[in-house]
Amino acid sequence: MNKEIVQKMLEKYGDRATDSMFERSLYARDLAPVPAILANMLIKTLPDIVVRPSNTEEVAAIMKTAFANNIPVTPRAGASTVYFNSVPTKSGILMDLNLIKGIVGLDEEGMTVTVKAGTTWSELDEFLNNQGLAPKSFPSSAPAATIGGWFCMMGYGIGSMKYGSLLSQVKSIEVVLPDGSIKKVSQETNPALDWFVSSEGTLGIITQLEVEVRKLTNMKHFLLQLPDARKMLDTMKTIIDAPVVPYNMHFSDQECLKAMKALGFSPANMDIGCIIGIDYEGSDEELKQAQEIIDSLAVANKLVNPIPQESAELEWEERFKALKLKRGGPSVLGAEVWLPIKGLPAYLEDVQKMARGYGLNLFSYGHVVTPEYATVMTTFYADETQTIKYIINLSLVKKIHDIGHRYGGNPYGVGLWNSPMIGRIHQPPQLGELRKRKQAMDSKGIMNPGKVYRAPLMLNPFNYSLGMNVLAGVRRVFGKGW
Ligand SMILES: Cc1cc2nc3c(=O)[nH]c(=O)nc-3n(C[C@H](O)[C@H](O)[C@H](O)COP(=O)(O)OP(=O)(O)OC[C@H]3O[C@@H](n4cnc5c(N)ncnc54)[C@H](O)[C@@H]3O)c2cc1C
C-alpha cells in the first residue's frame, strides 16, 4: 500500500490508526490457530494499516480512499469466526469496527431496536433486558460477537428455532458501499437486504441495523438422556412437532459427554448415551404446556430419561461456554456442518467409524436451529505447537465435511478455509447469482477479497481435495495416537 496514503491515514485518525508491526500482527489471525507457514504460503495476512473508525462518515471516508486507490479492505468486528473471514488475504486496510457501538433508538410500539453494528449481542441483551425486552435470537458467542458480524455470517443460533434466522428479524440496515456511498437497505430496496446476509463483509460495511425484539419472559429448561442417536432424533422430532415451539434445542453425543466428564463439565456427571437440552420461553401457560410435553415424553417412553432441573438450568447458564472442551487441548480442530436433522444418526455413526479408522476421539455437539436443520460441530484435539502433525491433522477437517456432505450437509460459513467447498454450499445457478451481485456491488474487488465466491488458486477445489486426501492417507497410516 502506498506509504503516503498510510501516513495521511495515521495523521487523520491519530491513536485510532496504527502501522506498528506488533499491533498489525494481532490482526493477521483469528480464533483458529493456523500455522503462519501455511497461511503465508497462500495469502498476505498482515494488513498495511489498521484503522478504527467511530462513525458511519469515517467508514465512508476510508472506503472512498480505498476505492480511489484500489486498496483491499477487510472488515473485522468481534473476530469470533474461525475461517479467516476477518483476516486479510491481500494486506491493505484492516477496518476494526468495534468502536461503532451503541443503541440508536428503541421503538417499543413497533418492537424494534436500532443498534450500531459493532455492539455485541450481550451488550444489546443487557440494554433490552433493562426495558423488559430481549433479542429474539443470538449466537452462542454473544459476549464477543457483534450484531453486524452475525448478520454478515449465517445468523442462526440460540432462539432461531422459535424466531427464525436473523435475516427474518432485521427490518433494515445502513451500509457503506465499496465506493464510499451510504445507503439504507431493506427488503424493498435494490440491492435488497438478503444480498448482505452471509456476505461476510464482501459487499460493503454495515454500520447500523434495525432488529426486531421480543418481550422478556420466563424460561424453563430441560435435559433428556437418550440411549443413542436414533432415539435422540425421534425425541427431537416429537418435541419439534408438539404444540409449543422450543426457544432453543441443543445436543451432545456420547463422545462429547465422555470428554466433558473427563474435564468435570458433564451435565449431571453423565457419559452414557446422548443428551438433548430444550429451553422454552413464553407465557406461564406456554411453559406449563412445555412441562407437560416433556413429562409425557418420559412417561410414554422409558428410554427417555429426564435429568434433574438444576442440571438443565446450569446447562443454560453455560450457554456461552461452547469452547470449554478446548481445555482438554492444547488446541481443538473441527468442522461445523449445516446438516438436515434426519441425517444426524447416520452422520454421527460415520463420524465414529472415522474416529476408529484414524485412532482419535471425535466429539460432536450442536444446535437444532430450524425444524429441519442443525448446526453440528465435530471436533478433535490437536497440538498447534507440533506444526507438521498439526497441518496433517487439518486434513481431517475435510474428512468430517465429507461425511456431512454424504448426508445432505455443507460447511456452515465460508471465509477462506471453506472456499474450496463453495460448490457444496451453493448450487451453480445460486453461486452464479452471488458472483453477479459481487461484480455489481464491488467491480474493483476491494471488499474482503479472496473469500466466499471462489477459492484462491492454490486452494482451488482440485488441489484442495487432492492435497487433503493425501495428507489424510498419511495421517491414517502414520498418525494413530497423535
Ligand atoms: C464459542 C463460539 C460460539 C459460536 N456460536 C455461533 C452461533 O451460535 N451461531 C453462529 O452463526 N455462529 C457462531 N459462532 C461464529 C461467530 O461467533 C459468529 O458468526 C459471529 O456472529 C461473528 O461475529 P463477529 O462480530 O465476531 O464477526 P467477525 O468474526 O469479526 O466477522 C465475521 C465476518 O463478517 C464481516 N463483518 C463483521 N462485521 C461487519 C460489518 N459491520 N460490516 C460488514 N462486514 C462485517 C467480517 O469481514 C467477516 O467476514 C460461534 C463462534 C464461537 C467461537
Side-chain angles (χ1 to χ4, degrees):
M1 188 174 153
N2 180 309
K3 287 210 163 52
E4 236 174 77
I5 299 174
V6 170
Q7 196 50 41
K8 274 195 185 151
M9 290 181 97
L10 289 173
E11 280 160 22
K12 181 166 179 188
Y13 296 100
D15 63 1
R16 291 186 289 115
T18 180
D19 67 345
S20 126
M21 174 59 108
F22 172 69
E23 288 177 327
R24 285 184 292 142
S25 67
L26 300 175
Y27 291 84
R29 57 167 298 168
D30 61 14
L31 270 186
V34 177
I37 186 176
L38 176 66
N40 294 339
M41 207 165 68
L42 301 167
I43 49 173
K44 290 184 175 169
T45 56
L46 188 68
D48 295 300
I49 184 167
V50 176
V51 196
R52 310 182 83 204
S54 61
N55 56 47
T56 306
E57 288 66 37
E58 286 187 351
V59 171
I62 296 165
M63 284 314 309
K64 279 188 179 140
T65 303
F67 187 76
N69 297 283
N70 292 320
I71 303 168
V73 177
T74 308
R76 178 165 171 130
S80 61
T81 38
V82 290
Y83 310 121
F84 271 28
N85 315 62
S86 59
V87 173
T89 61
K90 294 186 173 176
S91 299
I93 300 173
L94 187 301
M95 203 187 298
D96 178 333
L97 298 164
N98 289 292
L99 294 181
I100 303 186
K101 190 187 270 292
I103 307 298
V104 179
L106 178 65
D107 175 359
E108 284 194 63
E109 215 169 283
M111 291 293 276
T112 63
V113 65
T114 301
V115 59
K116 293 187 188 170
T119 312
T120 67
W121 283 94
S122 290
E123 287 163 346
L124 177 63
D125 189 47
E126 191 185 340
F127 166 81
L128 290 174
N129 288 180
N130 288 334
Q131 324 293 319
L133 302 167
K136 286 188 163 177
S137 63
F138 48 87
S140 50
S141 49
T146 62
I147 316 295
W150 200 35
F151 184 77
C152 288
M153 297 303 296
M154 317 295 284
Y156 284 93
I158 296 172
S160 309
M161 185 75 193
K162 182 163 182 178
Y163 291 107
S165 70
L166 180 60
L167 173 63
S168 69
Q169 300 158 28
V170 170
K171 298 275 197 200
S172 66
I173 57 174
E174 177 186 78
V175 58
V176 179
L177 300 179
D179 65 2
S181 56
I182 302 170
K183 203 169 165 67
K184 184 164 177 187
V185 172
S186 69
Q187 214 44 281
E188 285 74 48
T189 56
N190 183 17
L193 199 55
D194 58 0
W195 286 37
F196 292 89
V197 78
S198 309
S199 63
E200 303 196 11
T202 61
L203 298 182
I205 311 267
I206 297 171
T207 45
Q208 199 165 291
L209 304 91
E210 185 189 1
V211 190
E212 291 176 357
V213 298
R214 65 177 174 92
K215 286 237 147 42
L216 183 62
T217 53
N218 288 331
M219 294 194 76
K220 230 171 192 339
H221 312 285
F222 302 94
L223 267 180
L224 300 174
Q225 182 185 22
L226 297 313
D228 55 45
R230 293 199 179 269
K231 193 71 210 161
M232 177 167 81
L233 176 62
D234 289 347
T235 308
M236 283 173 176
K237 282 185 178 158
T238 309
I239 294 168
I240 290 168
D241 292 341
V244 182
V245 182
Y247 181 64
N248 178 46
M249 191 183 326
H250 69 280
F251 58 90
S252 305
D253 77 345
Q254 174 154 321
E255 293 311 309
C256 184
L257 288 179
K258 277 190 195 162
M260 300 263 267
K261 188 175 177 195
L263 293 168
F265 296 139
S266 174
N269 218 18
M270 283 173 30
D271 61 0
I272 294 175
C274 310
I275 58 158
I276 314 179
I278 313 114
D279 308 292
Y280 290 94
E281 65 84 33
S283 65
D284 290 349
E285 182 49 38
E286 275 176 293
L287 296 184
K288 192 167 149 254
Q289 269 182 283
Q291 177 81 56
E292 284 162 10
I293 292 164
I294 301 296
D295 287 348
S296 66
L297 257 174
V299 170
N301 195 327
K302 294 219 159 25
L303 294 176
V304 178
N305 177 27
I307 297 166
Q309 193 84 34
E310 312 83 71
S311 299
E313 278 161 19
L314 183 64
E315 183 82 353
W316 171 254
E317 275 166 31
E318 306 236 308
R319 63 194 175 283
F320 301 134
K321 297 186 182 163
L323 286 183
K324 59 191 171 193
L325 264 180
K326 186 175 182 300
R327 292 197 204 165
S331 318
V332 279
L333 277 171
E336 188 163 25
V337 182
W338 175 256
L339 188 78
I341 57 166
K342 63 173 192 267
L344 190 53
Y347 169 86
L348 293 175
E349 276 162 26
D350 282 12
V351 161
Q352 288 316 316
K353 268 188 221 155
M354 172 180 162
R356 288 191 290 277
Y358 286 92
L360 82 167
N361 295 317
L362 286 169
F363 326 115
S364 297
Y365 59 90
H367 285 265
V368 182
V369 289
T370 80
E372 278 95 31
Y373 280 88
T375 52
V376 186
M377 182 67 104
T378 296
T379 61
F380 55 99
Y381 290 130
D383 184 350
E384 69 195 88
T385 63
Q386 307 275 313
T387 308
I388 303 289
K389 288 181 182 174
Y390 189 81
I391 290 176
I392 293 174
N393 268 329
L394 284 171
S395 64
L396 302 183
V397 173
K398 175 188 176 277
K399 290 287 163 193
I400 298 169
H401 277 302
D402 288 348
I403 298 176
H405 186 56
R406 205 176 298 149
Y407 297 106
N410 55 249
Y412 182 70
V414 191
L416 172 72
W417 300 120
N418 284 338
S419 63
M421 291 182 275
I422 192 69
R424 290 182 177 179
I425 301 174
H426 303 293
Q427 295 304 306
Q430 197 188 3
L431 186 55
E433 174 59 26
L434 293 181
R435 286 175 178 162
K436 252 197 259 166
R437 289 178 184 180
K438 171 73 173 168
Q439 178 60 26
M441 300 286 298
D442 182 24
S443 57
K444 292 190 170 187
I446 57 169
M447 284 298 326
N448 209 1
K451 320 274 173 70
V452 179
Y453 303 91
R454 52 167 57 87
L457 188 63
M458 299 254 302
L459 276 181
N460 75 61
F462 178 78
N463 290 353
Y464 174 80
S465 194
L466 183 69
M468 289 297 145
N469 288 340
V470 169
L471 289 182
V474 172
R475 173 67 172 77
R476 190 185 269 271
V477 176
F478 300 105
K480 297 243 160 78
W482 280 6

